Each structure stands twice: as C-alpha cells, then as structure tokens.
Amino acid sequence: MTSADSEAFGVYVHWPFCLSKCPYCDFNSHVRHAAIDQDRYARAFAQEIATTAARIGPRTVSSIFLGGGTPSLMQPQTVGAILDAIGRHWHVAADVEVSLEANPTSVEATRFAGYRAAGVNRVSLGVQAMDDASLKMLGRLHTAEEAMKAVAIARNAFERYSFDLIYARPDQTPAMWTEELTRAISEAAEHLSLYQLTIEEGTPFFGLHAAGKLKTPDEGLARTLYDVTQEVCGRHGLPAYEISNHARPGAECRHNLIYWRGQEYAGIGPGAHGRLDIGGIRHATATDKRPEAWLMRVESNGHGVMTDDELNREERADEFLLMGLRLAEGIDPQRYARISGRTLDPRRIALLREEGAIAVDPDGRLRVTQDGFPVLDAVVADLAA
C-alpha cells in the first residue's frame, strides 16, 4: 500500500447499461432493449476524457476503474478505445491498476481474454450469492455454477480478481453465512467485497419490505453476521481494510483507496462523480445520469458535467473524515488539520477512546475499532462536530 498522504490520481468510467435491473440496486443503471451504439459511446467517453484533461492539466494515472451498470456488456474494443483515450491525455503509471466490474455469466466470461488484451488487469465479479435460490431472490441472471466457472476463467485471464457477496439476506443464519463465506474465500484468492443487504428507497425491495413481504435480519442478527464476517475473513488471512472490503495484505483495491483517502479522481460517463483539484480548489463534479442526455451533452459541449461545486475547507474536511475513517488504517489528524484549518477536539477523541469506538496509534493515527465500525456514522458525526 502506498502512503495515505501520497497523491494518487484515478479515473472512474461509468458504463450505465444492464441486461436487467436488480431489485436491490439503486445505482445509476439502465436497461435498453435496442442495441447500444458502442462506437458512439466510445467516442463520447474519449471526448469527455479530453475535455477533463484540458481542464485539469497533466496527471499520472495510478488507477482506472470501469464500473456500472454492467461494464462487461462492453465489447473489448470499446474498453480498449477508452483506455487508449486515457493514455493519450494523461501519463499512465507503469504499474497502473485497471479494474473492470463484470457479471459472472458464461456469455460475459467469453470476453475476459479480450479485456485482458485491451489492458484490464483486475476484474471484480458480481457473484452476490453462492446458491441458486438466493441468486433468484436477488434477481441475478447467473447460476451459482456459472459464477464459479466465470471465477475460474477470471483466475486464468487476470493477475488479480475479486468478487462481491451480499449477506444479511432473508432467512440467512450465521452458520449458513460461515459456510458460504468459507467457500467464497477458497475461490477468491486475494480480495472480497462483502455488503450487508440494505433496503434502498426507490427500489422494488423497498416496496416489498414496506409491505412486510421481504424480511431482513433484525439489528442483533445483522450485527452477529457482521462479526462472523470479520472472524472468518480474519482467520483466513483476508482482514477488513475497509468496512466492506477484505484483502490479503498488498491486494487492496488501489482505486477504491483513492476515494477513501480523499485523493483526486476524474468521473467519466453518465452519472459519474469526480473530485478534481483545479487551482488549489477541490471541485466535486457529477455528470448527467441519463445516458442519452449525457451522450448529447458530450457531443454538443465536450462533456456531460451537470454539477461542479467548489468545496470549502469544512466540506473537504468532513468528506475526509467520513471516507478516511472507513479504512482500517484510519486517518492522520495532522492531514485533517491541514485540510480544515482546525484540529480535532482532544476531549471528543478521549471520550470515544474511553467508549472503545476509536484507537490512537503510537504515530498519532486515528482508527475506528472493530466495535466502532457498526456505529461509524455516529463516531464521524461526533468527531466532526
């Protein structure tokens, strides 16, 4: 891992299309039954990259992340065109991490060799569950067997791969989750993203949950499942380096570390967010969420940016706390002071230490403890007050 204070720069590219919308998903994803004009989108991505680069100037790209939606619906040549555009406008580090999110269907797995040839060196597979009944409940289009075959293909095609699982599902017991997670670790090698099922407003699951037709674990069981996650992953050498992300030391997702460490990244594509430093000021950018509207904006204006807010010191410092304390490595209070212009209140730190919610390392770094993570929002609010 690089030092938390060294300046990395990432490029996030959002591919907004999916074959179907999962009932728990509130991401910016869209289903289109007509064919997508991938050449046209590739040109638009390249244009938005060029406009962003002209605006912010030279950077060395240390990570690229193709997220979505379902980026594995892209043709390998579309991915290649996007990566080529990034390379034309910015210097790309020799050891750049290039991640692509993929659905573990047999059709999409056939493209893995093409993605590798295009320059992708890490794939993140949306497995979500390892039994067919759970996959059906989650609205996934793949079977458990198909997912494991895709994982095997990923293992051969890429140096690095990861997959996601959703837990705290209806009727899931700690024993069931222990077994599933142990099996997942035997397949995952170096990195797992493990998310508790959350009921998000505006999703089909929200309506079912409100009507009493979808029962999720109560707070006590959810906490037990979280504790099982930490224990099983820790025992197998994949400790949490962030609340929901577990990796063998050195295998952390470098792109996501950029977000959590409060570093700089460009957001490219429909509904992509960015954090850009221009003339010493941090800008929070977001593009048009609607794919066709974004496309027309880029073709007219060179970019699809809809909001571009200058963050003041307080907003930057709050964001730094909120993101940085998600990490097991915690934050450097001196960096917080440089960003905000004020120091964290030592009395609040002392109180939270007494409560066992945070720890202070010998070098002064501030970390949230295992007991503090389930109440992270309250810890952050207390420190930021």
Side-chain angles (χ1 to χ4, degrees):
M1 287 163 80
T2 54
S3 118
D5 250 353
S6 72
E7 281 315 308
F9 176 72
V11 181
Y12 174 75
V13 180
H14 192 79
W15 181 258
F17 302 110
C18 285
L19 289 175
S20 67
K21 184 86 173 172
C22 296
Y24 55 83
C25 175
D26 71 338
F27 289 171
N28 185 42
S29 61
H30 304 263
V31 177
R32 295 289 182 268
H33 298 297
I36 307 294
D37 186 342
Q38 294 210 17
D39 289 342
R40 189 178 170 196
Y41 273 91
R43 287 192 297 272
F45 282 122
Q47 180 59 62
E48 192 163 62
I49 289 161
T51 303
T52 307
R55 186 179 183 206
I56 68 170
R59 293 288 188 278
T60 294
V61 178
S62 51
S63 77
I64 299 164
F65 197 100
L66 300 140
T70 308
S72 51
L73 295 177
M74 277 191 273
Q75 295 301 328
Q77 60 263 35
T78 306
V79 172
I82 292 167
L83 298 181
D84 287 348
I86 292 170
R88 276 198 306 275
H89 296 287
W90 286 303
H91 177 257
V92 176
D95 65 343
V96 66
E97 175 189 271
V98 185
S99 300
L100 177 137
E101 287 182 336
N103 268 344
T105 67
S106 51
V107 174
E108 288 159 75
T110 60
R111 301 193 189 109
F112 286 180
Y115 297 141
R116 183 70 197 91
V120 174
N121 56 25
R122 181 180 180 276
V123 73
S124 176
L125 294 155
V127 173
Q128 312 310 8
M130 297 181 73
D131 68 277
D132 290 347
S134 294
L135 288 168
K136 191 175 178 185
M137 184 275 295
L138 291 168
R140 304 299 287 169
L141 298 179
H142 59 270
T143 64
E145 185 186 7
E146 198 175 18
M148 288 306 101
K149 282 181 178 168
V151 168
I153 295 168
R155 190 180 293 128
N156 291 327
F158 302 99
E159 298 106 89
R160 300 175 60 204
Y161 67 98
S162 170
F163 62 83
D164 299 359
L165 292 175
I166 292 172
Y167 70 101
R169 307 190 300 258
D171 303 320
Q172 191 177 37
T173 66
M176 288 160 67
W177 177 227
T178 300
E179 186 196 347
E180 183 176 14
L181 187 51
T182 304
R183 196 150 43 97
I185 290 168
S186 72
E187 296 281 358
E190 63 164 33
H191 191 289
L192 277 174
S193 298
L194 306 168
Y195 303 105
Q196 286 209 10
L197 177 62
T198 53
I199 306 300
E200 305 291 351
E201 203 165 341
T203 64
F205 270 11
F206 186 83
L208 289 170
H209 191 262
K213 293 177 181 170
L214 179 72
K215 289 190 164 48
T216 50
D218 62 29
E219 205 175 299
L221 178 53
R223 174 60 200 264
T224 301
L225 291 166
Y226 170 82
D227 290 340
V228 164
T229 307
Q230 309 315 308
E231 192 277 319
V232 173
C233 288
R235 182 156 36 91
H236 287 89
L238 275 81
Y241 68 97
E242 187 270 346
I243 283 185
S244 303
N245 285 273
H246 298 254
R248 300 200 186 283
E252 299 85 359
C253 174
R254 287 189 305 193
H255 186 84
N256 285 341
L257 286 173
I258 287 176
Y259 301 154
W260 296 319
R261 288 174 173 169
Q263 292 165 341
E264 192 187 14
Y265 56 97
I268 305 295
H273 291 257
R275 293 290 182 274
L276 300 171
D277 295 335
I278 304 165
I281 294 168
R282 174 62 58 102
H283 289 247
T285 64
T287 55
D288 198 318
K289 284 184 169 186
R290 303 161 299 167
E292 292 78 13
W294 171 84
L295 194 59
M296 289 189 286
R297 280 179 184 280
V298 175
E299 289 171 344
S300 302
N301 309 323
H303 65 85
V305 174
M306 293 283 280
T307 61
D308 182 357
D309 298 325
E310 294 185 5
L311 300 183
N312 62 33
R313 293 184 82 165
E314 194 175 327
E315 289 166 331
R316 274 203 72 179
D318 285 351
E319 204 168 80
F320 174 68
L321 265 191
L322 186 67
M323 300 301 274
L325 288 174
R326 295 177 65 92
L327 287 168
E329 70 184 21
I331 61 157
D332 177 359
Q334 291 179 327
R335 187 173 173 212
Y336 174 86
R338 287 196 296 275
I339 294 169
S340 67
R342 68 183 181 96
T343 55
L344 291 165
D345 185 341
R347 289 166 305 176
R348 288 181 187 277
I349 292 171
L351 198 61
L352 288 165
R353 277 181 86 173
E354 266 177 54
E355 291 169 356
I358 63 169
V360 181
D361 289 350
D363 64 357
R365 289 189 76 82
L366 205 65
R367 291 183 297 104
V368 175
T369 63
Q370 206 63 263
D371 286 340
F373 272 131
V375 290
L376 178 66
D377 289 349
V379 173
V380 171
D382 208 2
L383 285 170

